Amino acid sequence: MKLATFNINGIRSRLPALLAWLEREAPDVVCLQELKAPDSGFPEADINRAGYGAIRHGQVSWNGVAILAKDAQPVETRRGLPGDPDDTHSRYIEAAVNGVLVGCLYLPNGNPQPGPKFDYKLAWFERLIAYAKQLLDSGHPVVLAGDYNVVPTDFDIYNPRSWLKDALLQPESRACYARLLEQGWTDALRTRFPDEQVYTFWDYFRQHWERNSGLRIDHLLLNKPVAAMMRDAGVDRWVRGEPHASDHAPAWVVLDLEGAADSTKKTAVKKTALGSTAAAKKSTARSTQATPSKKKTGK
DNA sequence: ATGACGACCTATGGTCGA
């Protein structure tokens, strides 16, 4: 199962690019961020025609997240992070797909810093850390994928010098990301490429794409059951090079749902995948989300 | 310190993103 995250920077403006990528790479699960459209502007019919079920949490102009699943309907388990009922931003949506709990997140940018936007970023991060712990404790296979708006280390950027004051590189932002990892999450891209610089974002300015002046800010975090299933990870860089591209490229991980590295294997995955309290209220839909994708990935 | 680019909106420039 190939699971990807892609900050699309405007779902309507980027629909042709999205469909071309879905066609060429055929990801099984997709987390989208920055829809920049209300739910009424979500091109559900086009996405369905491409063979994907979808759930979305939109908002006018800003933010907006969605989860797509090939030949399946994601079973929504949550929208919005717990911890602040006054938070109006559409930045989190979560679903069960093929027995994996998938959290799709768009962490606040936080610029300019210092200031209220940076405070909001750190507060949102704290809520994420608290909720991520709950997810870990649930024992389910979980992936937290999205645009974290954090460059984890100086190795994750072409040159930190001109970004030193940016919210993405602040020690406070990095400390939050480190604390999240310390809970027991595996950073899929960094684990796959321990010694290589890997980027997922190149801004539109100063020919940064042409010069490969990128940042790694889109991350796929895997809890232990999912980390044991990881077979590959990467970035679909070609997407960034297309005309009229988003400033991000899709990042992905390939999971072997049928042969985890240890002896727990698929029975353990299936057993733990569906019993969550979050999924309980969706019990009528369980059978659809438990159905594996008809088409084998062969991975 | 600013702006480079691009997307969005009861727009025609302001605001936001990263």
Side-chain angles (χ1 to χ4, degrees):
Chain A
M1 180 173 88
K2 178 174 178 177
L3 187 156
T5 179
F6 184 18
N7 180 319
I8 195 168
N9 190 14
I11 183 80
R12 286 171 295 186
S13 174
R14 215 73 62 199
L15 183 59
L18 173 66
L19 296 176
W21 171 64
L22 292 178
E23 166 107 36
R24 177 162 159 185
E25 302 292 347
D28 298 286
V29 185
V30 179
C31 296
L32 296 178
Q33 302 87 34
E34 281 214 82
L35 304 179
K36 293 188 174 180
D39 286 348
S40 59
F42 188 78
E44 185 158 23
D46 296 281
I47 287 168
N48 290 344
R49 258 196 300 280
Y52 288 79
I55 59 170
R56 71 277 185 279
H57 186 201
Q59 178 181 335
V60 175
S61 293
W62 314 119
N63 311 314
V65 285
I67 298 175
L68 280 48
K70 185 151 63 81
D71 301 325
Q73 180 62 26
V75 177
E76 184 171 322
T77 51
R78 164 171 286 281
R79 58 173 56 199
L81 269 188
D84 183 2
D86 295 328
D87 185 358
T88 58
H89 294 200
S90 298
R91 296 183 176 276
Y92 187 83
I93 193 166
E94 178 188 288
V97 187
N98 296 337
V100 177
L101 201 60
V102 180
C104 170
L105 64 100
Y106 176 47
L107 210 134
N109 170 298
N111 281 310
Q113 74 79 30
K117 293 194 175 181
F118 191 61
D119 295 341
Y120 173 63
K121 174 182 194 146
L122 296 180
W124 204 94
F125 224 143
E126 292 296 339
R127 288 163 57 202
L128 177 65
I129 290 169
Y131 181 62
K133 182 67 166 59
Q134 285 184 40
L135 289 176
L136 280 182
D137 292 343
S138 77
H140 300 304
V142 184
V143 178
L144 283 175
D147 179 354
Y148 282 73
N149 269 317
V150 176
V151 176
T153 73
D154 285 352
F155 192 60
D156 298 300
I157 183 169
Y158 65 100
N159 182 352
R161 205 172 48 207
S162 58
W163 295 77
L164 283 177
K165 293 181 178 174
D166 195 282
L168 279 61
L169 277 73
Q170 292 314 297
E172 296 94 328
S173 308
R174 289 177 163 179
C176 282
Y177 189 75
R179 281 169 53 212
L180 188 57
L181 289 187
E182 284 162 12
Q183 290 181 338
W185 299 90
T186 294
D187 181 332
L189 278 175
R190 182 47 74 219
T191 300
R192 173 66 180 76
F193 299 103
D195 304 314
E196 291 176 48
Q197 292 198 288
V198 179
Y199 305 137
T200 65
F201 166 84
W202 300 257
D203 73 27
Y204 291 119
F205 315 141
R206 296 162 295 203
Q207 295 186 295
H208 274 170
W209 166 246
E210 290 77 3
R211 299 167 192 225
N212 193 31
S213 298
L215 288 66
R216 191 172 75 94
I217 56 177
D218 300 275
H219 308 302
L220 299 122
L221 301 194
L222 320 177
N223 75 347
K224 286 193 169 60
V226 179
M229 304 175 197
M230 184 170 103
R231 294 295 176 269
D232 200 3
V235 177
D236 289 333
R237 288 175 56 103
W238 67 268
V239 175
R240 182 61 181 83
E242 294 289 288
H244 200 58
S246 167
D247 39 7
H248 296 248
W252 50 265
V253 60
V254 171
L255 307 175
D256 181 354
L257 298 183
E258 304 192 355
D262 60 19
S263 60
T264 55
K265 299 280 184 180
K266 62 180 177 182
T267 50
V269 172
K270 283 186 176 174
K271 198 180 294 179
T272 57
L274 301 174
S276 75
T277 52
K281 61 187 175 188
K282 299 277 185 180
S283 58
T284 55
R286 278 187 194 183
S287 57
T288 50
Q289 81 94 18
T291 305
S293 175
K294 275 169 267 176
K295 199 170 144 192
K296 296 278 186 189
T297 61
K299 300 288 168 61

